[in-house]
Amino acid sequence: MNNHPENTGHFGRREFLAASAGIAATLALGGLSRGAWAAPHALPALPYADSALAPVISAHTLGFHYGKHHKAYVDNLNKLAAGTEYADLPLEKVIAATAGRADKAGLFNNAAQTWNHTFYWKSLRPNGGGEPPAALKQRIEAAFGSVEACKKELAAAAMGQFGSGWAWLALDGDRLRVVKTGNADLPLTSGMKPLLTLDVWEHAYYLDYQNRRGDYVNAVLDKLINWEFALRNLG
Ligand code: MN3
């Protein structure tokens, strides 16, 4: 947390910290009902058991990724937003209001990573991959020529993202596109509608694949990718 006055609302920093400590103690005792100070963003339940994506993604990886990484983004978002003008905003509005603002980088990164991970879990499913539903397949063939070409472009984006980030199938106007984003960034900040995503941060695959990002990406595209979810997002 920085010292920017917007992080402390109408409190001075010292009073804010004292109030935060008091509230944390009260919460630890289970004594505070949901209110202005209660955490507004919850960690959504995983849409499947943490062993459901094995062997492509092990329960070990999924357990850490969801239970530690995703949870930490939600917790940090709530800490950074508490007592500010962002506290009661829906997640997408926090993202839109903080994108591109250097003084709000912490809030943006944690809000965007909260959103990205919830979207990533839904982008995968046990026994995924295979042929997309006909309505999506038609759109993919119009944009990329074939489903294979679309998957190749997704894999190239995932492999070509230098360092941490994401590969996406997104709707840009009425055109399907593959895009990659760095760190916490997402297509929403460029006015595109995400359809599905692949997490290519090392924490998404390192326990199972070490440095072999390509093996993770290709296995996910062949066996876990949730085309039905992409079709629903296409609306
Ligand atoms: Mn991740």
Side-chain angles (χ1 to χ4, degrees):
M1 186 175 297
N2 63 36
N3 284 311
H4 197 278
E6 281 179 32
N7 278 345
T8 58
H10 63 276
F11 287 95
R13 180 164 171 81
R14 187 166 301 179
E15 289 82 349
F16 172 76
L17 291 173
S20 300
I23 286 159
T26 311
L27 281 173
L29 294 170
L32 189 69
S33 63
R34 186 180 169 84
W37 285 99
H41 299 284
L43 178 67
L46 267 181
Y48 30 70
D50 65 6
S51 58
L53 305 183
V56 177
I57 297 175
S58 68
H60 192 205
T61 290
L62 202 49
F64 269 95
H65 198 174
Y66 171 74
K68 304 288 184 192
H69 292 272
H70 193 182
K71 182 178 188 301
Y73 295 127
V74 176
D75 290 346
N76 287 329
L77 164 64
N78 284 326
K79 271 186 224 159
L80 291 168
T84 75
E85 66 197 278
Y86 303 99
D88 296 321
L89 292 183
L91 190 54
E92 283 88 354
K93 294 214 165 148
V94 177
I95 292 169
T98 57
R101 291 184 56 182
D103 61 328
K104 298 292 176 213
L107 199 46
F108 172 78
N109 286 334
N110 285 287
Q113 285 293 79
T114 294
W115 195 97
N116 291 347
H117 282 86
T118 301
F119 196 78
Y120 170 63
W121 308 132
K122 294 177 181 171
S123 297
L124 311 179
R125 68 176 180 89
N127 304 309
E131 283 285 293
L136 177 62
K137 191 177 172 189
Q138 213 169 29
R139 296 290 297 271
I140 287 176
E141 286 173 347
F144 302 97
S146 68
V147 173
E148 270 319 297
C150 174
K151 285 168 67 179
K152 258 192 190 159
E153 203 168 317
L154 273 167
M159 255 94 96
Q161 171 56 36
F162 184 78
S164 296
W166 302 82
W168 307 80
L169 182 64
L171 192 61
D172 185 7
D174 59 1
R175 180 169 162 250
L176 290 188
R177 279 182 63 185
V178 165
V179 292
K180 59 188 178 188
T181 59
N183 297 316
D185 202 11
L186 66 169
L188 289 176
T189 61
S190 316
M192 285 181 258
K193 187 179 187 187
L195 302 181
L196 60 77
T197 194
L198 292 179
D199 187 341
V200 293
W201 284 58
E202 282 186 347
H203 66 227
Y205 60 86
Y206 213 86
L207 293 174
D208 296 331
Y209 297 87
Q210 293 76 52
N211 60 332
R212 303 188 311 277
R213 185 189 285 190
D215 290 354
Y216 153 75
V217 167
N218 286 319
V220 165
L221 286 173
D222 287 341
K223 295 173 182 157
L224 298 181
I225 205 72
N226 188 346
W227 295 120
E228 289 75 13
F229 176 63
L231 177 61
R232 286 201 295 280
N233 291 321
L234 198 52

